Amino acid sequence: MGFYGNTILRKLVGDIIRLGGVTSFVETGTYTGITTEHMASAFPGLPVFSCETDPQYYAGSVQRLRPYKNAKLSMESSEKFVARLIAEKVLGDLPMFFLDAHWYDYWPLPDEVAAI
């Protein structure tokens, strides 16, 4: 389902992608890969990037996302991931960011936004 089962958020994101000319989708914090899978399956022509730092969640998500050639999963911290994707110029002119990474004592949102 993706987006925590929130149908309004899922529709809003889909509408923005369909109508807004979005060139890629970037999610921070893959967790189990449900949202990443939703995006990769709903938009097969759209590059979908996600990152996860937990080895167990990363491994499970790699398996879950294996059928989706447009899904690219990285095991790295979200602020470094976002900065790297931008530096590599792989996102196109209008990427959409879903900044959802969070863990323990570090909340990476300020660093992710600074990279963007």
Side-chain angles (χ1 to χ4, degrees):
M1 247 188 154
F3 298 101
Y4 318 105
N6 185 324
T7 56
I8 294 170
L9 179 58
R10 199 169 45 248
K11 181 179 179 343
L12 176 64
V13 169
D15 287 349
I16 291 169
I17 289 171
R18 278 187 289 281
L19 301 172
V22 171
T23 55
S24 60
F25 181 82
V26 180
E27 172 194 30
T28 60
T30 310
Y31 189 44
T32 60
I34 294 171
T35 296
T36 314
E37 181 180 36
H38 166 74
M39 294 304 297
S41 66
F43 301 96
L46 185 71
V48 176
F49 300 90
S50 190
C51 67
E52 178 56 52
T53 59
D54 183 286
Q56 184 176 356
Y57 291 132
Y58 174 80
S61 294
V62 165
Q63 292 303 314
R64 170 181 234 127
L65 299 170
R66 192 172 302 264
Y68 306 99
K69 301 300 180 210
N70 61 324
K72 313 271 190 274
L73 184 58
S74 297
M75 189 169 152
E76 65 185 304
S77 64
S78 59
E79 78 284 357
K80 290 176 184 171
F81 170 71
V82 169
R84 179 178 59 78
L85 291 176
I86 292 169
E88 291 176 356
K89 301 182 187 295
V90 297
L91 301 177
D93 292 334
L94 193 57
M96 180 177 203
F97 293 90
F98 181 57
L99 304 177
D100 192 35
H102 48 87
W103 58 88
Y104 309 110
D105 295 329
Y106 175 53
W107 188 47
L109 184 61
D111 294 326
E112 294 167 350
V113 171
I116 294 167

PDB file of all heavy atoms in Angstrom, residues 82-114:
ATOM      1  N   VAL A  82      21.162  11.626   0.008  1.00  0.00           N
ATOM      2  CA  VAL A  82      20.564  12.741  -0.731  1.00  0.00           C
ATOM      3  C   VAL A  82      21.653  13.584  -1.384  1.00  0.00           C
ATOM      4  O   VAL A  82      21.561  13.914  -2.574  1.00  0.00           O
ATOM      5  CB  VAL A  82      19.670  13.595   0.198  1.00  0.00           C
ATOM      6  CG1 VAL A  82      19.256  14.886  -0.473  1.00  0.00           C
ATOM      7  CG2 VAL A  82      18.436  12.803   0.630  1.00  0.00           C
ATOM      8  N   ALA A  83      22.687  13.927  -0.639  1.00  0.00           N
ATOM      9  CA  ALA A  83      23.779  14.741  -1.184  1.00  0.00           C
ATOM     10  C   ALA A  83      24.463  14.030  -2.355  1.00  0.00           C
ATOM     11  O   ALA A  83      24.792  14.651  -3.376  1.00  0.00           O
ATOM     12  CB  ALA A  83      24.789  15.066  -0.089  1.00  0.00           C
ATOM     13  N   ARG A  84      24.662  12.715  -2.235  1.00  0.00           N
ATOM     14  CA  ARG A  84      25.308  11.951  -3.299  1.00  0.00           C
ATOM     15  C   ARG A  84      24.467  11.931  -4.572  1.00  0.00           C
ATOM     16  O   ARG A  84      24.974  12.147  -5.676  1.00  0.00           O
ATOM     17  CB  ARG A  84      25.594  10.516  -2.836  1.00  0.00           C
ATOM     18  CG  ARG A  84      26.255   9.652  -3.921  1.00  0.00           C
ATOM     19  CD  ARG A  84      26.569   8.251  -3.432  1.00  0.00           C
ATOM     20  NE  ARG A  84      25.419   7.497  -2.981  1.00  0.00           N
ATOM     21  CZ  ARG A  84      24.536   6.909  -3.792  1.00  0.00           C
ATOM     22  NH1 ARG A  84      24.647   7.005  -5.107  1.00  0.00           N
ATOM     23  NH2 ARG A  84      23.525   6.214  -3.287  1.00  0.00           N
ATOM     24  N   LEU A  85      23.165  11.660  -4.427  1.00  0.00           N
ATOM     25  CA  LEU A  85      22.293  11.628  -5.606  1.00  0.00           C
ATOM     26  C   LEU A  85      22.285  12.974  -6.328  1.00  0.00           C
ATOM     27  O   LEU A  85      22.309  13.029  -7.564  1.00  0.00           O
ATOM     28  CB  LEU A  85      20.870  11.249  -5.209  1.00  0.00           C
ATOM     29  CG  LEU A  85      20.650   9.816  -4.735  1.00  0.00           C
ATOM     30  CD1 LEU A  85      19.203   9.628  -4.295  1.00  0.00           C
ATOM     31  CD2 LEU A  85      21.031   8.806  -5.794  1.00  0.00           C
ATOM     32  N   ILE A  86      22.259  14.048  -5.561  1.00  0.00           N
ATOM     33  CA  ILE A  86      22.281  15.387  -6.162  1.00  0.00           C
ATOM     34  C   ILE A  86      23.612  15.620  -6.870  1.00  0.00           C
ATOM     35  O   ILE A  86      23.647  16.094  -8.015  1.00  0.00           O
ATOM     36  CB  ILE A  86      21.992  16.459  -5.095  1.00  0.00           C
ATOM     37  CG1 ILE A  86      20.531  16.338  -4.633  1.00  0.00           C
ATOM     38  CG2 ILE A  86      22.291  17.859  -5.637  1.00  0.00           C
ATOM     39  CD1 ILE A  86      20.185  17.153  -3.416  1.00  0.00           C
ATOM     40  N   ALA A  87      24.715  15.282  -6.208  1.00  0.00           N
ATOM     41  CA  ALA A  87      26.043  15.471  -6.809  1.00  0.00           C
ATOM     42  C   ALA A  87      26.217  14.636  -8.078  1.00  0.00           C
ATOM     43  O   ALA A  87      26.854  15.086  -9.042  1.00  0.00           O
ATOM     44  CB  ALA A  87      27.133  15.125  -5.794  1.00  0.00           C
ATOM     45  N   GLU A  88      25.659  13.434  -8.092  1.00  0.00           N
ATOM     46  CA  GLU A  88      25.770  12.557  -9.266  1.00  0.00           C
ATOM     47  C   GLU A  88      24.836  12.964 -10.403  1.00  0.00           C
ATOM     48  O   GLU A  88      24.916  12.401 -11.499  1.00  0.00           O
ATOM     49  CB  GLU A  88      25.492  11.107  -8.865  1.00  0.00           C
ATOM     50  CG  GLU A  88      26.576  10.518  -7.984  1.00  0.00           C
ATOM     51  CD  GLU A  88      26.255   9.114  -7.495  1.00  0.00           C
ATOM     52  OE1 GLU A  88      25.144   8.591  -7.778  1.00  0.00           O
ATOM     53  OE2 GLU A  88      27.116   8.529  -6.807  1.00  0.00           O
ATOM     54  N   LYS A  89      23.936  13.910 -10.139  1.00  0.00           N
ATOM     55  CA  LYS A  89      22.993  14.420 -11.150  1.00  0.00           C
ATOM     56  C   LYS A  89      22.163  13.308 -11.802  1.00  0.00           C
ATOM     57  O   LYS A  89      21.983  13.273 -13.020  1.00  0.00           O
ATOM     58  CB  LYS A  89      23.737  15.232 -12.207  1.00  0.00           C
ATOM     59  CG  LYS A  89      24.485  16.429 -11.637  1.00  0.00           C
ATOM     60  CD  LYS A  89      25.157  17.219 -12.722  1.00  0.00           C
ATOM     61  CE  LYS A  89      26.036  18.314 -12.197  1.00  0.00           C
ATOM     62  NZ  LYS A  89      25.477  19.391 -11.499  1.00  0.00           N
ATOM     63  N   VAL A  90      21.644  12.411 -10.976  1.00  0.00           N
ATOM     64  CA  VAL A  90      20.845  11.289 -11.488  1.00  0.00           C
ATOM     65  C   VAL A  90      19.341  11.488 -11.280  1.00  0.00           C
ATOM     66  O   VAL A  90      18.556  10.621 -11.677  1.00  0.00           O
ATOM     67  CB  VAL A  90      21.275   9.955 -10.833  1.00  0.00           C
ATOM     68  CG1 VAL A  90      22.712   9.609 -11.184  1.00  0.00           C
ATOM     69  CG2 VAL A  90      21.085   9.985  -9.325  1.00  0.00           C
ATOM     70  N   LEU A  91      18.946  12.608 -10.702  1.00  0.00           N
ATOM     71  CA  LEU A  91      17.548  12.795 -10.318  1.00  0.00           C
ATOM     72  C   LEU A  91      16.711  13.534 -11.353  1.00  0.00           C
ATOM     73  O   LEU A  91      15.492  13.593 -11.225  1.00  0.00           O
ATOM     74  CB  LEU A  91      17.466  13.531  -8.979  1.00  0.00           C
ATOM     75  CG  LEU A  91      18.166  12.842  -7.809  1.00  0.00           C
ATOM     76  CD1 LEU A  91      18.071  13.693  -6.553  1.00  0.00           C
ATOM     77  CD2 LEU A  91      17.589  11.460  -7.579  1.00  0.00           C
ATOM     78  N   GLY A  92      17.332  14.105 -12.367  1.00  0.00           N
ATOM     79  CA  GLY A  92      16.590  14.893 -13.334  1.00  0.00           C
ATOM     80  C   GLY A  92      16.315  16.287 -12.800  1.00  0.00           C
ATOM     81  O   GLY A  92      16.772  16.668 -11.713  1.00  0.00           O
ATOM     82  N   ASP A  93      15.540  17.040 -13.551  1.00  0.00           N
ATOM     83  CA  ASP A  93      15.299  18.442 -13.217  1.00  0.00           C
ATOM     84  C   ASP A  93      14.270  18.659 -12.115  1.00  0.00           C
ATOM     85  O   ASP A  93      14.252  19.716 -11.492  1.00  0.00           O
ATOM     86  CB  ASP A  93      14.840  19.202 -14.460  1.00  0.00           C
ATOM     87  CG  ASP A  93      15.935  19.328 -15.496  1.00  0.00           C
ATOM     88  OD1 ASP A  93      17.125  19.299 -15.107  1.00  0.00           O
ATOM     89  OD2 ASP A  93      15.608  19.451 -16.692  1.00  0.00           O
ATOM     90  N   LEU A  94      13.402  17.680 -11.877  1.00  0.00           N
ATOM     91  CA  LEU A  94      12.334  17.885 -10.901  1.00  0.00           C
ATOM     92  C   LEU A  94      12.103  16.634 -10.045  1.00  0.00           C
ATOM     93  O   LEU A  94      11.082  15.955 -10.155  1.00  0.00           O
ATOM     94  CB  LEU A  94      11.035  18.285 -11.619  1.00  0.00           C
ATOM     95  CG  LEU A  94       9.907  18.837 -10.756  1.00  0.00           C
ATOM     96  CD1 LEU A  94      10.353  20.051  -9.951  1.00  0.00           C
ATOM     97  CD2 LEU A  94       8.713  19.200 -11.626  1.00  0.00           C
ATOM     98  N   PRO A  95      13.049  16.344  -9.154  1.00  0.00           N
ATOM     99  CA  PRO A  95      12.860  15.187  -8.269  1.00  0.00           C
ATOM    100  C   PRO A  95      11.843  15.499  -7.172  1.00  0.00           C
ATOM    101  O   PRO A  95      11.653  16.660  -6.791  1.00  0.00           O
ATOM    102  CB  PRO A  95      14.250  14.972  -7.668  1.00  0.00           C
ATOM    103  CG  PRO A  95      14.883  16.321  -7.706  1.00  0.00           C
ATOM    104  CD  PRO A  95      14.325  17.018  -8.918  1.00  0.00           C
ATOM    105  N   MET A  96      11.194  14.471  -6.684  1.00  0.00           N
ATOM    106  CA  MET A  96      10.293  14.591  -5.539  1.00  0.00           C
ATOM    107  C   MET A  96      10.946  13.864  -4.376  1.00  0.00           C
ATOM    108  O   MET A  96      11.369  12.717  -4.516  1.00  0.00           O
ATOM    109  CB  MET A  96       8.936  13.978  -5.845  1.00  0.00           C
ATOM    110  CG  MET A  96       7.955  14.074  -4.708  1.00  0.00           C
ATOM    111  SD  MET A  96       6.355  13.401  -5.192  1.00  0.00           S
ATOM    112  CE  MET A  96       5.309  14.231  -4.038  1.00  0.00           C
ATOM    113  N   PHE A  97      11.015  14.528  -3.231  1.00  0.00           N
ATOM    114  CA  PHE A  97      11.641  13.962  -2.047  1.00  0.00           C
ATOM    115  C   PHE A  97      10.590  13.632  -0.992  1.00  0.00           C
ATOM    116  O   PHE A  97       9.755  14.477  -0.673  1.00  0.00           O
ATOM    117  CB  PHE A  97      12.653  14.951  -1.451  1.00  0.00           C
ATOM    118  CG  PHE A  97      13.847  15.187  -2.318  1.00  0.00           C
ATOM    119  CD1 PHE A  97      13.837  16.207  -3.270  1.00  0.00           C
ATOM    120  CD2 PHE A  97      14.983  14.404  -2.195  1.00  0.00           C
ATOM    121  CE1 PHE A  97      14.942  16.431  -4.079  1.00  0.00           C
ATOM    122  CE2 PHE A  97      16.094  14.620  -3.003  1.00  0.00           C
ATOM    123  CZ  PHE A  97      16.069  15.640  -3.948  1.00  0.00           C
ATOM    124  N   PHE A  98      10.649  12.416  -0.470  1.00  0.00           N
ATOM    125  CA  PHE A  98       9.821  11.996   0.669  1.00  0.00           C
ATOM    126  C   PHE A  98      10.809  11.723   1.798  1.00  0.00           C
ATOM    127  O   PHE A  98      11.409  10.660   1.877  1.00  0.00           O
ATOM    128  CB  PHE A  98       9.004  10.753   0.303  1.00  0.00           C
ATOM    129  CG  PHE A  98       8.111  10.263   1.405  1.00  0.00           C
ATOM    130  CD1 PHE A  98       7.156  11.087   1.972  1.00  0.00           C
ATOM    131  CD2 PHE A  98       8.219   8.963   1.876  1.00  0.00           C
ATOM    132  CE1 PHE A  98       6.324  10.630   2.989  1.00  0.00           C
ATOM    133  CE2 PHE A  98       7.397   8.492   2.891  1.00  0.00           C
ATOM    134  CZ  PHE A  98       6.450   9.329   3.448  1.00  0.00           C
ATOM    135  N   LEU A  99      11.004  12.732   2.654  1.00  0.00           N
ATOM    136  CA  LEU A  99      12.025  12.682   3.702  1.00  0.00           C
ATOM    137  C   LEU A  99      11.430  12.058   4.953  1.00  0.00           C
ATOM    138  O   LEU A  99      10.765  12.718   5.738  1.00  0.00           O
ATOM    139  CB  LEU A  99      12.566  14.097   3.959  1.00  0.00           C
ATOM    140  CG  LEU A  99      13.114  14.800   2.713  1.00  0.00           C
ATOM    141  CD1 LEU A  99      13.565  16.211   3.052  1.00  0.00           C
ATOM    142  CD2 LEU A  99      14.221  13.995   2.058  1.00  0.00           C
ATOM    143  N   ASP A 100      11.722  10.773   5.134  1.00  0.00           N
ATOM    144  CA  ASP A 100      11.074   9.980   6.174  1.00  0.00           C
ATOM    145  C   ASP A 100      12.064   9.249   7.069  1.00  0.00           C
ATOM    146  O   ASP A 100      11.686   8.381   7.830  1.00  0.00           O
ATOM    147  CB  ASP A 100      10.131   8.981   5.483  1.00  0.00           C
ATOM    148  CG  ASP A 100       9.187   8.298   6.448  1.00  0.00           C
ATOM    149  OD1 ASP A 100       8.752   8.936   7.415  1.00  0.00           O
ATOM    150  OD2 ASP A 100       8.886   7.113   6.226  1.00  0.00           O
ATOM    151  N   ALA A 101      13.351   9.588   6.964  1.00  0.00           N
ATOM    152  CA  ALA A 101      14.359   8.906   7.784  1.00  0.00           C
ATOM    153  C   ALA A 101      14.351   9.472   9.205  1.00  0.00           C
ATOM    154  O   ALA A 101      14.216  10.672   9.405  1.00  0.00           O
ATOM    155  CB  ALA A 101      15.743   9.067   7.173  1.00  0.00           C
ATOM    156  N   HIS A 102      14.499   8.589  10.165  1.00  0.00           N
ATOM    157  CA  HIS A 102      14.585   8.994  11.571  1.00  0.00           C
ATOM    158  C   HIS A 102      15.062   7.798  12.364  1.00  0.00           C
ATOM    159  O   HIS A 102      14.712   6.660  12.072  1.00  0.00           O
ATOM    160  CB  HIS A 102      13.232   9.476  12.092  1.00  0.00           C
ATOM    161  CG  HIS A 102      12.102   8.552  11.748  1.00  0.00           C
ATOM    162  ND1 HIS A 102      11.759   7.472  12.529  1.00  0.00           N
ATOM    163  CD2 HIS A 102      11.268   8.531  10.681  1.00  0.00           C
ATOM    164  CE1 HIS A 102      10.742   6.833  11.973  1.00  0.00           C
ATOM    165  NE2 HIS A 102      10.426   7.444  10.838  1.00  0.00           N
ATOM    166  N   TRP A 103      15.899   8.048  13.330  1.00  0.00           N
ATOM    167  CA  TRP A 103      16.361   6.951  14.176  1.00  0.00           C
ATOM    168  C   TRP A 103      17.023   7.501  15.425  1.00  0.00           C
ATOM    169  O   TRP A 103      17.656   8.532  15.429  1.00  0.00           O
ATOM    170  CB  TRP A 103      17.314   6.014  13.437  1.00  0.00           C
ATOM    171  CG  TRP A 103      18.544   6.666  12.884  1.00  0.00           C
ATOM    172  CD1 TRP A 103      19.725   6.858  13.514  1.00  0.00           C
ATOM    173  CD2 TRP A 103      18.705   7.231  11.583  1.00  0.00           C
ATOM    174  NE1 TRP A 103      20.624   7.501  12.697  1.00  0.00           N
ATOM    175  CE2 TRP A 103      20.020   7.739  11.507  1.00  0.00           C
ATOM    176  CE3 TRP A 103      17.879   7.364  10.471  1.00  0.00           C
ATOM    177  CZ2 TRP A 103      20.514   8.366  10.364  1.00  0.00           C
ATOM    178  CZ3 TRP A 103      18.380   7.990   9.356  1.00  0.00           C
ATOM    179  CH2 TRP A 103      19.673   8.476   9.315  1.00  0.00           C
ATOM    180  N   TYR A 104      16.848   6.826  16.482  1.00  0.00           N
ATOM    181  CA  TYR A 104      17.511   7.050  17.767  1.00  0.00           C
ATOM    182  C   TYR A 104      17.676   8.533  18.107  1.00  0.00           C
ATOM    183  O   TYR A 104      16.721   9.274  18.126  1.00  0.00           O
ATOM    184  CB  TYR A 104      18.837   6.281  17.810  1.00  0.00           C
ATOM    185  CG  TYR A 104      18.647   4.830  17.429  1.00  0.00           C
ATOM    186  CD1 TYR A 104      19.137   4.336  16.226  1.00  0.00           C
ATOM    187  CD2 TYR A 104      17.903   3.976  18.231  1.00  0.00           C
ATOM    188  CE1 TYR A 104      18.922   3.017  15.851  1.00  0.00           C
ATOM    189  CE2 TYR A 104      17.682   2.651  17.865  1.00  0.00           C
ATOM    190  CZ  TYR A 104      18.194   2.187  16.690  1.00  0.00           C
ATOM    191  OH  TYR A 104      17.975   0.898  16.315  1.00  0.00           O
ATOM    192  N   ASP A 105      18.921   8.963  18.327  1.00  0.00           N
ATOM    193  CA  ASP A 105      19.166  10.335  18.764  1.00  0.00           C
ATOM    194  C   ASP A 105      19.350  11.319  17.622  1.00  0.00           C
ATOM    195  O   ASP A 105      19.404  12.520  17.845  1.00  0.00           O
ATOM    196  CB  ASP A 105      20.419  10.383  19.654  1.00  0.00           C
ATOM    197  CG  ASP A 105      20.231   9.605  20.947  1.00  0.00           C
ATOM    198  OD1 ASP A 105      19.085   9.548  21.428  1.00  0.00           O
ATOM    199  OD2 ASP A 105      21.220   9.062  21.449  1.00  0.00           O
ATOM    200  N   TYR A 106      19.483  10.831  16.419  1.00  0.00           N
ATOM    201  CA  TYR A 106      19.760  11.701  15.273  1.00  0.00           C
ATOM    202  C   TYR A 106      18.521  11.820  14.398  1.00  0.00           C
ATOM    203  O   TYR A 106      17.992  10.830  13.916  1.00  0.00           O
ATOM    204  CB  TYR A 106      20.931  11.140  14.473  1.00  0.00           C
ATOM    205  CG  TYR A 106      21.226  11.887  13.196  1.00  0.00           C
ATOM    206  CD1 TYR A 106      21.414  13.265  13.197  1.00  0.00           C
ATOM    207  CD2 TYR A 106      21.326  11.217  11.993  1.00  0.00           C
ATOM    208  CE1 TYR A 106      21.688  13.947  12.023  1.00  0.00           C
ATOM    209  CE2 TYR A 106      21.608  11.882  10.817  1.00  0.00           C
ATOM    210  CZ  TYR A 106      21.786  13.251  10.843  1.00  0.00           C
ATOM    211  OH  TYR A 106      22.052  13.923   9.686  1.00  0.00           O
ATOM    212  N   TRP A 107      18.091  13.039  14.183  1.00  0.00           N
ATOM    213  CA  TRP A 107      16.980  13.319  13.286  1.00  0.00           C
ATOM    214  C   TRP A 107      17.576  13.991  12.054  1.00  0.00           C
ATOM    215  O   TRP A 107      17.986  15.156  12.108  1.00  0.00           O
ATOM    216  CB  TRP A 107      15.958  14.209  13.980  1.00  0.00           C
ATOM    217  CG  TRP A 107      14.692  14.406  13.229  1.00  0.00           C
ATOM    218  CD1 TRP A 107      13.929  13.453  12.635  1.00  0.00           C
ATOM    219  CD2 TRP A 107      14.034  15.649  12.998  1.00  0.00           C
ATOM    220  NE1 TRP A 107      12.825  14.018  12.040  1.00  0.00           N
ATOM    221  CE2 TRP A 107      12.866  15.372  12.255  1.00  0.00           C
ATOM    222  CE3 TRP A 107      14.296  16.967  13.335  1.00  0.00           C
ATOM    223  CZ2 TRP A 107      11.984  16.355  11.853  1.00  0.00           C
ATOM    224  CZ3 TRP A 107      13.410  17.942  12.937  1.00  0.00           C
ATOM    225  CH2 TRP A 107      12.267  17.638  12.209  1.00  0.00           C
ATOM    226  N   PRO A 108      17.687  13.293  10.918  1.00  0.00           N
ATOM    227  CA  PRO A 108      18.457  13.798   9.782  1.00  0.00           C
ATOM    228  C   PRO A 108      17.772  14.854   8.922  1.00  0.00           C
ATOM    229  O   PRO A 108      18.406  15.401   8.019  1.00  0.00           O
ATOM    230  CB  PRO A 108      18.724  12.533   8.965  1.00  0.00           C
ATOM    231  CG  PRO A 108      17.567  11.651   9.275  1.00  0.00           C
ATOM    232  CD  PRO A 108      17.218  11.927  10.712  1.00  0.00           C
ATOM    233  N   LEU A 109      16.520  15.178   9.185  1.00  0.00           N
ATOM    234  CA  LEU A 109      15.786  16.089   8.314  1.00  0.00           C
ATOM    235  C   LEU A 109      16.519  17.408   8.047  1.00  0.00           C
ATOM    236  O   LEU A 109      16.621  17.815   6.886  1.00  0.00           O
ATOM    237  CB  LEU A 109      14.384  16.350   8.873  1.00  0.00           C
ATOM    238  CG  LEU A 109      13.481  17.213   8.013  1.00  0.00           C
ATOM    239  CD1 LEU A 109      13.236  16.563   6.653  1.00  0.00           C
ATOM    240  CD2 LEU A 109      12.156  17.461   8.717  1.00  0.00           C
ATOM    241  N   PRO A 110      17.042  18.096   9.041  1.00  0.00           N
ATOM    242  CA  PRO A 110      17.743  19.356   8.738  1.00  0.00           C
ATOM    243  C   PRO A 110      18.917  19.168   7.771  1.00  0.00           C
ATOM    244  O   PRO A 110      19.145  19.992   6.877  1.00  0.00           O
ATOM    245  CB  PRO A 110      18.215  19.864  10.095  1.00  0.00           C
ATOM    246  CG  PRO A 110      17.286  19.230  11.072  1.00  0.00           C
ATOM    247  CD  PRO A 110      16.947  17.890  10.492  1.00  0.00           C
ATOM    248  N   ASP A 111      19.657  18.072   7.926  1.00  0.00           N
ATOM    249  CA  ASP A 111      20.796  17.810   7.045  1.00  0.00           C
ATOM    250  C   ASP A 111      20.341  17.395   5.648  1.00  0.00           C
ATOM    251  O   ASP A 111      20.985  17.728   4.647  1.00  0.00           O
ATOM    252  CB  ASP A 111      21.704  16.745   7.661  1.00  0.00           C
ATOM    253  CG  ASP A 111      22.352  17.231   8.937  1.00  0.00           C
ATOM    254  OD1 ASP A 111      22.661  18.432   9.040  1.00  0.00           O
ATOM    255  OD2 ASP A 111      22.538  16.397   9.853  1.00  0.00           O
ATOM    256  N   GLU A 112      19.237  16.678   5.548  1.00  0.00           N
ATOM    257  CA  GLU A 112      18.685  16.317   4.241  1.00  0.00           C
ATOM    258  C   GLU A 112      18.244  17.569   3.498  1.00  0.00           C
ATOM    259  O   GLU A 112      18.546  17.738   2.312  1.00  0.00           O
ATOM    260  CB  GLU A 112      17.493  15.368   4.415  1.00  0.00           C
ATOM    261  CG  GLU A 112      17.826  14.023   4.984  1.00  0.00           C
ATOM    262  CD  GLU A 112      16.601  13.236   5.425  1.00  0.00           C
ATOM    263  OE1 GLU A 112      15.475  13.790   5.473  1.00  0.00           O
ATOM    264  OE2 GLU A 112      16.768  12.046   5.731  1.00  0.00           O
ATOM    265  N   VAL A 113      17.531  18.440   4.197  1.00  0.00           N
ATOM    266  CA  VAL A 113      17.045  19.687   3.572  1.00  0.00           C
ATOM    267  C   VAL A 113      18.228  20.556   3.155  1.00  0.00           C
ATOM    268  O   VAL A 113      18.213  21.158   2.072  1.00  0.00           O
ATOM    269  CB  VAL A 113      16.078  20.430   4.518  1.00  0.00           C
ATOM    270  CG1 VAL A 113      15.743  21.811   3.979  1.00  0.00           C
ATOM    271  CG2 VAL A 113      14.799  19.612   4.714  1.00  0.00           C
ATOM    272  N   ALA A 114      19.251  20.620   3.964  1.00  0.00           N
ATOM    273  CA  ALA A 114      20.437  21.408   3.619  1.00  0.00           C
ATOM    274  C   ALA A 114      21.089  20.878   2.343  1.00  0.00           C
ATOM    275  O   ALA A 114      21.540  21.661   1.495  1.00  0.00           O
ATOM    276  CB  ALA A 114      21.443  21.399   4.770  1.00  0.00           C
TER     277      ALA A 114
END
